[in-house]
Amino acid sequence: MTGSLLPSPEEETASPLTGRIVSWEIFPLSFREFLDGKGIESDGPLSTKQRLTLQKAFEEYWQVGGFPGVIRLDQQQSIEAHQANWNTILASIIGHHNISHPRAVIDLAHWLVDNTGSFYAVSHLTDYLKSLGHRVRKSSVVDWLVAFEDAGLLFSVNILSSSPTRISVNPRKAYCIEHALVTSISSDILTNRDSLLENLVFTALRRMTPEIFYHKTKMGREVDLVALLPTSPGQERAVMLVQVCASLADPRVKQSEVRSLSEAMVELAVAKGTIVTWRTNETIHVGFGTIRVVPIWQFLLEMEPRT
C-alpha cells in the first residue's frame, strides 16, 4: 500500500496496554529499487552501453511504475491492477474517515489525478463538485484533501512564502503518489508527458523531504519545484530548485526555462539549479551560478544515492 498506513478504528481506540500507534510512509519502488529488482548495475562510472541499458530500463519503469505487484504484468493487466489499487485506497480513505459523500470524494480524487502538476484552488474544486450535483461545503473539500495526503495518495504543494496570507491566496499544485497510476486512472484529457515527468520528479523529492513548494519570481515566472532538503545537524537546509521540461529542443522553451530558474536562483540566493528532461544532459552557466540539465533517469538515481 502506498503512503502512510491507515490505522483501523480498532487500533485508534486501543487501550494504553497495546502501546503507541506508529505510522510510517511506504512508497512504490523507486527507479533504483526497480533496477535492483532486475539486477541492473547503476553505480559508479557508466559506460555507453550501461547508460543505454539504464535508459531502456527507465522507459519500462515509466510505463509500469513502481507497484511491486504490477511490474511483471502486461499493459492491460497493469492498468487493471492500478485501477484496483486506486479503488482500494479510496475505499480505505472513505471508510477510515467515515465520509458521508463517497461519490464526491471519488470525483474530487479523479479531478486531481486528471490535473496532476496543475494548479487548483479549493473554491474552484468546491464549485466543480457542486456542478456535478454534489452538495458539499468548502470545509469538507479541505478535509478530503488532507485525507488524501494523510493516506499518501494525492499531495498538494503550496507557493514558497513565509507569509500565511500569500500562501492562502495563491493556488496549490496537485501530485499523485505514482506516475503510472496517473496514466491508468486519468481520462488523458489534460495529462501529458511534461506533467507526468513533473509528477515523477515530485515523488523522487518527496521521498527525501515533505517540504516541497513551487516558486513565483518577482517577474511572475514559475519554478516548478523547490525542495528543502535535510542536511547534517546544525546546518541550514539545502534548497533545491527544479524545472521539469521533457524537451528543450525549442530555443524559446529553453530560454524560458533557463530564465525562470535563473531569476529564482538570484531571488533565493541559490547558486545551483536543475532542469530535468527526457534525454538532454548539459551544463548552462548563468549570472548567479550554474544550471544542470539532466535526463530523468540520471536525476532519479542521484536523488537516491547508495548509503
Side-chain angles (χ1 to χ4, degrees), residues 104 107 111 123-136:
D107 286 339
W111 188 96
S123 57
H124 171 77
L125 295 180
T126 306
D127 290 342
Y128 168 72
L129 292 175
K130 288 181 178 179
S131 74
L132 298 179
H134 300 300
R135 299 178 63 183
V136 299

Side-chain angles (χ1 to χ4, degrees), residues 152-267:
L153 178 62
L154 297 160
F155 299 86
S156 296
V157 168
N158 287 317
I159 193 169
L160 179 66
S161 177
S162 59
S163 166
T165 300
R166 186 168 185 239
I167 292 172
S168 66
V169 300
N170 276 276
R172 308 174 83 189
K173 295 179 77 174
Y175 296 100
C176 182
I177 187 62
E178 164 69 58
H179 66 282
L181 185 63
V182 174
T183 59
S184 296
I185 299 301
S186 72
S187 63
D188 290 331
I189 296 173
L190 297 175
T191 53
N192 53 50
R193 189 166 67 162
D194 278 335
S195 62
L196 288 175
L197 206 60
E198 185 175 330
N199 197 104
L200 184 50
V201 171
F202 167 81
T203 55
L205 294 171
R206 184 60 183 77
R207 283 185 173 88
M208 302 177 66
T209 176
E211 295 186 276
I212 304 174
F213 311 87
Y214 71 90
H215 179 65
K216 283 282 188 182
T217 71
K218 294 176 182 177
M219 297 298 292
R221 301 181 185 278
E222 179 196 345
V223 171
D224 295 324
L225 295 163
V226 180
L228 306 184
L229 303 179
T231 54
S232 302
Q235 294 183 341
E236 291 187 3
R237 288 169 298 180
V239 180
M240 187 172 192
L241 304 178
V242 185
Q243 286 287 77
V244 183
C245 185
S247 174
L248 298 178
D250 186 333
R252 293 170 298 180
V253 171
K254 183 176 182 178
Q255 182 183 42
S256 176
E257 299 291 344
V258 170
R259 184 175 298 172
S260 299
L261 201 50
S262 59
E263 284 182 11
M265 290 165 65
V266 172
E267 292 176 5

Side-chain angles (χ1 to χ4, degrees), residues 6 35 47 78 81 86 89 138 142 166 170-171 181 194 252 266 280:
L6 292 171
L35 294 174
S47 66
S78 68
W86 171 266
I89 297 170
K138 186 176 178 180
V142 171
R166 186 168 185 239
N170 276 276
L181 185 63
D194 278 335
R252 293 170 298 180
V266 172
T280 309

Side-chain angles (χ1 to χ4, degrees), residues 37-80:
K38 289 183 168 294
I40 298 175
E41 180 62 41
S42 57
D43 294 321
L46 300 174
S47 66
T48 300
K49 183 178 179 180
Q50 286 175 311
R51 292 176 69 87
L52 290 174
T53 299
L54 291 173
Q55 289 174 5
K56 183 177 180 180
F58 171 75
E59 289 172 4
E60 182 181 354
Y61 180 69
W62 175 257
Q63 293 295 324
V64 303
F67 280 104
V70 176
I71 291 174
R72 291 178 175 83
L73 302 179
D74 63 33
Q75 184 175 10
Q76 184 57 40
Q77 289 174 327
S78 68
I79 290 173
E80 293 172 357

